[in-house]
Amino acid sequence: MSRLHQDGIVIDGLIISKWDRSVFADMRKGGLTAANCTVSVWEGFQDTVNNIARMKAMIRENSDLVGLVRTTDDIIEAKRAGRTGIILGFQNAHAFEDSLGNIEAFADMGVRVVQLCYNTQNLIGTGCYERDSGLSDYGREVVAEMNRVGIMVDLSHVGARTSEETILASSKPVCYSHCLPSGLKDHPRNKSDEALRFIADRGGFVGVTMFPPFLRRGIESTVDDYVEAIGYVINLIGEDAVGIGTDFTQGHDQTFFDWITHDKGRYRRLTDFGTIKNPAGMETIGDFPNLTAAMERAGWTEARIRKVLGENWVRVFSEVWAPAPH
């Protein structure tokens, strides 16, 4: 592990692994300071509360490795203590159901990032695999309430029209926590150059993923291809608006992928990812130091590497997580 990786703040903007001690241990091996950890996708309110309770119990039982993040100060403390900070996040706002009050309840539980839609349409807006009707009137109220209580709006799996309307509606920065540019590979989940500029020009943030189906060379990709994709986004929107969001699915099997890719309507499928094989050099979360090494090989300055690895995420989190005045 290089000095730069060891000393720097390293934040993964999205991990949806199968949570247990082995994953937490791999986070520490990889030198992660903090990660946005998914605790809800398709679950409703009560099942999501149950997931949060389980995750908090795991954090307590593994307090030598991890700690709960509620503020950016908690991220800095995790770095100081040699632990990984766990940021509670959703990949779908389905758990809000049809009650704005649930949003503040989840904020009180420690939830700090919520993606509005997961691939398909819900009460708030439309995902990237369905005809996009835009942000609903209820969705506008959801965004305003998320701004108020300090939950970051994530638009990674959200359709282009809903995303654009959300960016305009939000009073705080929003993000694509884990996406890739369609300029390198045309895919419904990837974001156009125009979409990436649109979010960045309005104070938003982009976490770049390495999920193989969306990378230019697919399952043949390496960690250097991942750095190429990050560099492409930086060239578009600048190094201050870009971070990491790997989308690690460590520990999950095909049953998990079948579950997350379903849609409304019994047995309907939204997409088929095909073979999932992480880029060579980034097979596990513990391989994170290889990403820093690849950035160094690409000739990036130390200042750029530090920003992209985590400093940028800390800055944007600090802007969003401070609750608005009541």
Side-chain angles (χ1 to χ4, degrees):
M1 188 183 297
S2 71
R3 175 195 59 81
L4 201 165
H5 190 91
Q6 196 165 11
D7 294 347
I9 300 286
V10 182
I11 295 179
D12 195 330
L14 197 287
I15 297 181
I16 186 172
S17 294
K18 189 172 183 180
W19 306 116
D20 60 20
R21 184 172 175 85
S22 69
V23 170
F24 297 154
D26 220 31
M27 286 177 166
R28 290 312 311 137
K29 178 185 175 186
L32 259 69
T33 309
N36 170 23
C37 298
T38 301
V39 292
S40 183
V41 183
W42 296 114
E43 294 92 343
F45 178 84
Q46 185 58 58
D47 285 341
T48 297
V49 171
N50 296 344
N51 287 350
I52 292 170
R54 278 192 293 271
M55 176 62 99
K56 287 182 173 178
M58 277 192 280
I59 291 171
R60 288 193 299 274
E61 291 161 6
N62 296 280
S63 58
D64 57 321
L65 297 173
V66 293
L68 181 67
V69 168
R70 290 179 179 270
T71 67
T72 49
D73 286 346
D74 293 333
I75 294 176
I76 304 307
E77 172 57 24
K79 180 67 181 179
R80 188 201 64 76
R83 290 192 291 266
T84 298
I86 303 297
I87 302 164
L88 300 180
F90 299 174
Q91 284 211 58
N92 196 348
H94 182 68
F96 291 167
E97 298 181 353
D98 63 350
S99 173
L100 288 174
N102 289 344
I103 300 172
E104 185 169 28
F106 280 126
D108 290 345
M109 292 178 216
V111 175
R112 291 294 176 265
V113 183
V114 172
Q115 184 169 257
L116 294 188
C117 313
Y118 190 80
N119 294 338
T120 187
Q121 191 172 45
N122 61 19
L123 296 175
I124 292 167
T126 310
C128 60
Y129 289 114
E130 191 168 7
R131 182 170 53 86
D132 191 348
S133 57
L135 188 66
S136 71
D137 288 348
Y138 173 62
R140 292 176 187 278
E141 294 182 353
V142 166
V143 171
E145 182 66 358
M146 289 174 68
N147 289 162
R148 185 184 75 82
V149 302
I151 296 177
M152 188 164 205
V153 175
D154 183 0
L155 301 168
S156 302
H157 288 247
V158 177
R161 182 178 171 187
T162 300
S163 294
E164 183 173 311
E165 292 180 359
T166 301
I167 292 163
L168 294 174
S170 180
S171 63
K172 289 185 175 180
V174 303
C175 73
Y176 297 127
S177 70
H178 58 299
C179 75
L180 279 162
S182 57
L184 287 179
K185 184 172 184 177
D186 187 22
H187 191 285
R189 256 284 278 122
N190 290 351
K191 307 298 182 183
S192 69
D193 290 2
E194 293 74 21
L196 293 168
R197 290 193 190 100
F198 192 86
I199 193 171
D201 287 347
R202 287 152 186 85
F205 193 80
V206 178
V208 183
T209 187
M210 60 169 211
F211 194 60
F214 313 146
L215 281 167
R216 181 174 59 86
R217 297 203 304 136
I219 60 172
E220 302 303 317
S221 300
T222 68
V223 65
D224 296 296
D225 294 300
Y226 185 25
V227 171
E228 174 197 35
I230 302 167
Y232 181 98
V233 177
I234 287 173
N235 289 338
L236 274 178
I237 65 175
E239 64 186 37
D240 293 329
V242 178
I244 303 302
T246 62
D247 206 5
F248 265 114
T249 55
Q250 201 158 309
H252 286 301
D253 59 16
Q254 187 58 44
T255 305
F256 165 79
F257 290 104
D258 290 343
W259 175 69
I260 61 167
T261 56
H262 84 272
D263 191 12
K264 304 173 298 296
R266 186 78 51 99
Y267 307 123
R268 286 192 73 229
R269 312 236 41 88
L270 274 166
T271 186
D272 182 1
F273 291 138
T275 302
I276 305 295
K277 179 186 173 190
N278 287 337
M282 284 290 283
E283 285 91 351
T284 69
I285 301 169
D287 292 331
F288 239 96
N290 295 340
L291 178 58
T292 303
M295 291 174 177
E296 292 175 310
R297 276 198 304 277
W300 291 14
T301 66
E302 179 172 329
R304 170 178 285 190
I305 294 172
R306 287 183 181 276
K307 288 178 184 179
V308 173
L309 280 180
E311 289 179 1
N312 287 342
W313 269 125
V314 173
R315 187 194 72 250
V316 76
F317 282 150
S318 70
E319 293 177 43
V320 174
W321 289 351
H326 288 269

